[in-house]
Amino acid sequence: MAGRMLKFIRGKGQQPSAERQKLQNELFAFRKTVQHGFPHRASALAWDPLLRLAALGTATGALKVYGRPGVELYGQHTNYESIVTQIHFITGTGRLISLCDDNSLHLWEINEKSLVELKSHVFEGKNKKISAICVESSAKNALLGTEGGNIYSLDLSAFTISEDVIYQDVVMQNCPEDYKVNPGAVESVYEHPKTPTRILIGYNRGLAVLWDREAAAPTHTFVSNQQLESLCWNDDGEHFTSSHNDGSYVTWEVAGASSDRPLKEPVTPYGPYPCKAITKILNRTSVDGEDITIFAGGMPRASYSDKYTVTVQQGEKHVAFDFTSRVIDLFTTTPVPPDGAPLQEEQPDTPALVQVQAVNQVAAALVVLAEEELVVIDLCDARWRPLRLPYLVSVHASAVTTAQLADGVAPAVYDNIVAAGQQQTENQYSESPWPISGGVVETAELTDRQVLLTGHEDGSVRFWDVTGVAMTPLYKYTTAQLFSGEELGENNDSQTTDEEEWPPFRRVGTFDPYSDDPRLAVKKVILCPLSGMLTIGGAAGHIVIASLKTSPSTTEVKSVSVNIVSDRDGFVWKGHGQLTLRAGTHTFPQGYQATSVVQLQPPAAVTSLSAQWEWGVVCAGTAHGLALVDALGPAPAPLLHKCTLNPHDHGSGDTPISRRKSFKKSLRESFRRLRKGRSQRRQTTSNPTSPTQPIPKKPIDKAASETDAEIKPIERAVEARSTDDAYGSMVRCLYFARTFLINTQQSTPTLWAGTNNGTVYAFTLHVPNTNKRKEEPVTCQLAKEIQLKHRAPVIGITVLDGASVPLPDPLEVERGVSPLPEPGTHRVVITSEEQFKIFTLPSLKPHNKYKLTAHEGARVRRTAWSQFSCGAHREWCLLCLTNLGDCLVLSPELRRQLNAAAVRKEDINGISSLCFSKRGEALYLHSSSELQRITLSATKVTIAECHVLLAPWAAALRGPAPEPPLTNGEHKEEVPETAHDVTAASADITVDSVRDHTSAEHPPELNINLQNTQVNTSSMVIKTTTRTTVNETNADGTTTTTTTTSTNNANENNGNRDGAGRHRSEADPRDV
């Protein structure tokens, strides 16, 4: 009875007050915000010459519209598996049409700040597969060419097919006999530039027809003996050009008498040998008034069939731009107006007036969309150099292997990085204005700089400005130049052309996914945002320490080797060899310059890295142990190394992390558990009272068990890991802090290390004062050691001050960024994959605990501490990402404030790549090439604050705007007004052992088991799902929204997604 009353009292005390709930709603909210990088599997491109907007479609049904930097609008087709094959703007109106591979058409509208799907139409029927689309200049209809040869008319206001059909049979009546049988699919449809009632139709087998829609008769026919690929008008409608599948193009005259004959003989630019098809051709005028011919493809099959090229010819000037991925589409733009995109006062009523902005006037820039990158060539530049991309940059130019999000980068550090990046790419890029310049940005420029660092497979580290909506490249640092066998950094082939070479290739773009040496891969990277120091850990056990310099230098790079397993005689390394540092002096340009290189032995991949530049020390961990290095002296000096290998373990291969020694062993043990469970159930159900089969009884404390049953919440059985795990020695996290580890009177510099088998080592450091720092050595010794009972991998360690605030990062107090830590008892938060545990310092007595795996069936993958603010109120919370893709926000007392499904649980790469910021945001790889930004803060939200201005005629043409069902592709969870922190922290601390290495006599190991000092109440998990359905029958595009709320009691199913009380096997691939 007393136990039940105690449970009731404690349960009542855990509910937050109404004020706290209100504050939580003002502090915490999950939302997917913007996307950075290049869209995954880009498949379509379009350009609005009046609004100066570009649209991209992808093979996953995404639709994105871009204007000037900061103008980004997102849409998503309902069917995620539908490939967007074509996009066409209804010029000047802010509307566009998308065609998907399921033959469905979708009408989208930019409603000031959002991209909304208004209507859709599925075009069904035999031979009605749409192959070509032409939007009329009147913006009333769209012509749909099909593979069957007919051309249908789509009413753009009602979005229905009208009865005005141009049948292939009628068109063929005056055509040559050869084509009357089957001219093939419609490849191209274009309006005549001056007479919109005439349309140019191109058929697959080579026939082109100029069709008069008013007379319903052809005026001209043009016959080619090669398969047609594309058409384009040359001028005001007197000539047009056709490109063909044999690598040739032909110019035709419309006005002449013998118009069924080509004006000139077919031109095969890279003949006479068989060539690949010219898939698209454009004829434009240069800024000098000369003709420019631009085409994709046409390369000789035998020699260059694997090349992806776009050729530009202007007089004697001829360049074949060479891309590393397939070219999808291209267009040209006119010079950028002073205000970006001027409004057109009157509606253009002919294609010529629409195209005065793009087609037959000056071509100032060429925009090419390839599968893996966007490239913009400045045609006004004498050397046709590319433009620097302000967004849509290929973050995956080399595969991303690690990332760090640095907040509050000092202005001097940021400016020096920018200056180094500009010097690095000097003369590589044109300085002309960005041609995609439409839209208006509403937000003011942010001053608190946020820099993303990405480590790559080729040994490079790239710096990106992610302060706002656009992710802008700043600088690239390459480590390959430090090691022999690797040439210096940038590949300058892209800017040089061999005059003797034919075709005249010029490499463009940055996408280069191949790495010559996998050992160069960057595994960990750390930027100190205040000092600018850069620390890089590599796959071959190398650590590169670099400082930011404002001028070039020539110097020798100091190096040191640290043997972590020097005290293990029987150890044999069977993995790859180390990289060889280039001998002699190195010449470094402005920017980051390596000061020292540390080589760990054995040369296994760096698994954890930490740097403390206030003390001048760097620590790195591998699968074998850790090494501490003094990085401030004239040469790096080893201070300490500790081998964490099991004495009986001599394994050495550099293999992936595994929960067990082998998959076979895991399966074997899983089947044993299944058989054992079945046999036990069979015994108890078949004859539970049989005297011949006595059930062995274990001695138990009856009173204790009854109390536990009443008070403890239902928990999953979490199996302890084996002590002989070959991967248990891996160092997973490292942390520096000045705290009270020896006594409560004096704080000392400390180093904390957590391993894969649940061991935490705490070291004390002696760091001399600043004036004696370079004279006296830094010393380090092991002080204390903690062994967590379940031996779960330790992935995070943080010390909290007396106000439960994380200790400031290095140099933050010195530079005035953070105040001094609050006096009072320090506590250390140790995060394992299964639990969060808090210990008081220096005694290391258990204080609090939250069992994530036992209560919710998930495992911790990432943690960080972030500050949340609302007005003057600020508080620090612990952010956690689980292997199921959920993001949790926990208070310093481990009370849950928010739980949001952030990443799909099937997205293993997304979960493993996520990195948190200090302001409640996070970035993760949504795909191999694109980063998704999310926020857990209600106040720190990075979204595109932009709109598109429309001319009065365009607004009148669109009619009244419907209510937008989707705003800019944003996703905000509908969180009901309920208590967030109903899941209380538990102080049921079970620690295997705590060792104090500082005492004179080593006492016996302490087995601490504090039971039932705090109780979990039932956890109520509320999930809200909102489904938005667009009703096609409503002409105004109104939407119907259905909200479904499901409530699960965590006491009934333990919060487990996999079902009530179900324990997932440790061989689950989600745990890898």
Side-chain angles (χ1 to χ4, degrees), residues 458-461 477-483 486 520 522 536 542 544:
D458 62 356
S460 65
V461 175
Y477 177 67
T478 306
T479 60
Q481 59 186 351
L482 297 170
F483 303 101
E486 297 295 331
L520 288 169
V522 176
I536 301 166
H542 57 282
V544 178

Side-chain angles (χ1 to χ4, degrees), residues 406-413 448-449 528-531 614 805-821 867 874 876 918-919:
D407 292 274
V409 178
V413 172
D448 187 20
R449 294 294 179 184
C528 176
L530 299 179
S531 67
E614 207 170 306
V805 172
L807 296 182
D809 284 343
L811 300 173
E812 283 190 345
V813 174
E814 182 182 313
R815 303 284 177 92
V817 177
S818 294
L820 285 167
Q867 189 182 57
R874 284 172 171 74
W876 285 84
K918 284 189 175 180
R919 294 294 178 266

